[in-house]
Amino acid sequence: MSVSDYLKRYRLKPHLPRHVAIIMDGNGRWAKKRHLPRIAGHRAGALSIREIVRVSGQLGLSALTLYAFSTENWKRPRQEVSLLMKLLRQYLRSEVQELLQNNVRLGAIGNTKDLSGEIQEELEKAIQITSRCTGLNLILALSYSGRTDLTNAVKEIAKKVKSGKIKPEGIKEETITKALSTGALPEVDLLIRTSGEMRVSNFLLWELAYSEFYVTKTLWPDFRTPHFIAALRDFQKRQRRFGGVESVIGSVTSWAR
Ligand code: IPE
Ligand code: IPE
Ligand code: MG
């Protein structure tokens, strides 16, 4: 089936976001509601990831960035962290074939050096195997911190200034955008956060400057295709003004930058 077939099936208009970012939250609450250990929620959440990645590919999105683990998440009880890491390893192992089949190219942002050697290897392998895929770019944010990413960008730019490669006056917004770990990706058009929390929790701080926000009470393990389509439909109703006065709802012109 082609992208336009899927658009028809899901009753979506053609102008979809190019880049969607998701704060996948609520796994713990999902488990608690069922009197299950938190890890059961994380396990169920992995199934949502599989489904949302597949639909994103079918709809021809360019990039999907998933907040899987923040630098702050290292503060969680040791057992939860180690089970989460185990799950990540399993995910990387078991999903590679599915990613390949769906032409999905895997990438990662964050302090991946904080991950165990085994997981780093598994991640590298999956990135390598899918490196020729030309469909969706799936980016996992792992041990990610928006502030750290900005700090690293500043360091990189400072080095260039010191070596004379660029002048301080030559630093533009674009210089910073490009120096971030997301520098090669399109702008984040839509940010989704599940489970109702109204905060960015140190996610893509610079990148979210003009993103549309969609917060749903649905917990991440319950967030499946119909919920994702609802978020995309909602996005298609938004007026994106970028500080201007354009008021054409849903028109292609209101998306121009
Ligand atoms: C999100 O679910 C997954 C990670 C942060 C790894 P949570 O584990 O934060 O779930 P809640 O917020 O406790 O419900
Ligand atoms: C944000 O969720 C991080 C991820 C989804 C990986 P958290 O549950 O860690 O965020 P807070 O604690 O509600 O801010
Ligand atoms: Mg949470």
Side-chain angles (χ1 to χ4, degrees), residues 15-152:
H15 57 275
L16 285 169
R18 288 220 291 155
H19 184 175
V20 176
I22 309 184
I23 302 177
M24 309 181 291
D25 197 15
N27 295 352
R29 276 161 279 180
W30 184 92
K32 196 171 178 203
K33 259 173 49 183
R34 289 163 177 75
H35 309 286
L36 293 168
R38 291 178 59 84
I39 193 67
H42 297 312
R43 218 172 274 128
L47 300 176
S48 294
I49 296 183
R50 179 184 288 172
E51 196 166 311
I52 301 310
V53 168
R54 197 182 292 160
V55 185
S56 298
Q58 291 169 345
L59 290 171
L61 301 192
S62 169
L64 176 71
T65 300
L66 301 177
Y67 205 4
F69 196 86
S70 72
T71 47
E72 290 76 18
N73 289 149
W74 292 110
K75 291 188 295 199
R76 294 189 177 197
R78 198 159 7 131
Q79 202 205 4
E80 180 172 348
V81 171
S82 89
L83 287 171
L84 267 168
M85 290 300 144
K86 206 172 142 197
L87 202 60
L88 173 61
R89 210 171 130 203
Q90 275 170 10
Y91 175 83
L92 291 170
R93 268 205 195 146
S94 65
E95 282 326 270
V96 173
Q97 286 313 318
E98 160 99 7
L99 296 180
L100 265 182
Q101 264 167 28
N102 294 314
N103 198 20
V104 177
R105 184 163 167 228
L106 183 70
I109 55 171
N111 312 316
T112 50
K113 295 276 173 294
D114 296 347
L115 304 167
S116 74
E118 277 174 332
I119 294 184
Q120 284 184 51
E121 263 175 42
E122 208 68 60
L123 184 62
E124 276 311 314
K125 213 159 74 187
I127 289 174
Q128 181 56 37
I129 292 174
T130 60
S131 62
R132 296 225 176 103
C133 292
T134 52
L136 175 75
N137 284 289
L138 168 65
I139 296 97
L140 298 180
L142 298 167
S143 192
Y144 178 87
S145 152
R147 284 185 172 176
T148 303
D149 207 37
L150 270 166
T151 308
N152 291 340

Side-chain angles (χ1 to χ4, degrees), residues 190-241:
L190 174 65
L191 172 80
I192 299 173
R193 182 164 187 153
T194 58
S195 89
E197 240 65 71
M198 299 280 193
R199 51 177 175 258
V200 285
S201 300
N202 205 3
F203 199 27
L204 310 162
L205 300 179
W206 174 276
E207 296 89 332
L208 297 178
Y210 262 111
S211 311
E212 294 295 323
F213 282 32
Y214 180 88
V215 177
T216 170
K217 285 231 160 64
T218 306
L219 306 171
W220 177 251
D222 291 325
F223 191 88
R224 299 295 165 98
T225 305
H227 307 87
F228 189 53
I229 300 302
L232 296 175
R233 281 211 196 104
D234 196 85
F235 173 85
Q236 296 195 320
K237 284 191 232 140
R238 306 275 179 100
Q239 292 178 28
R240 299 190 82 186
R241 296 187 186 176

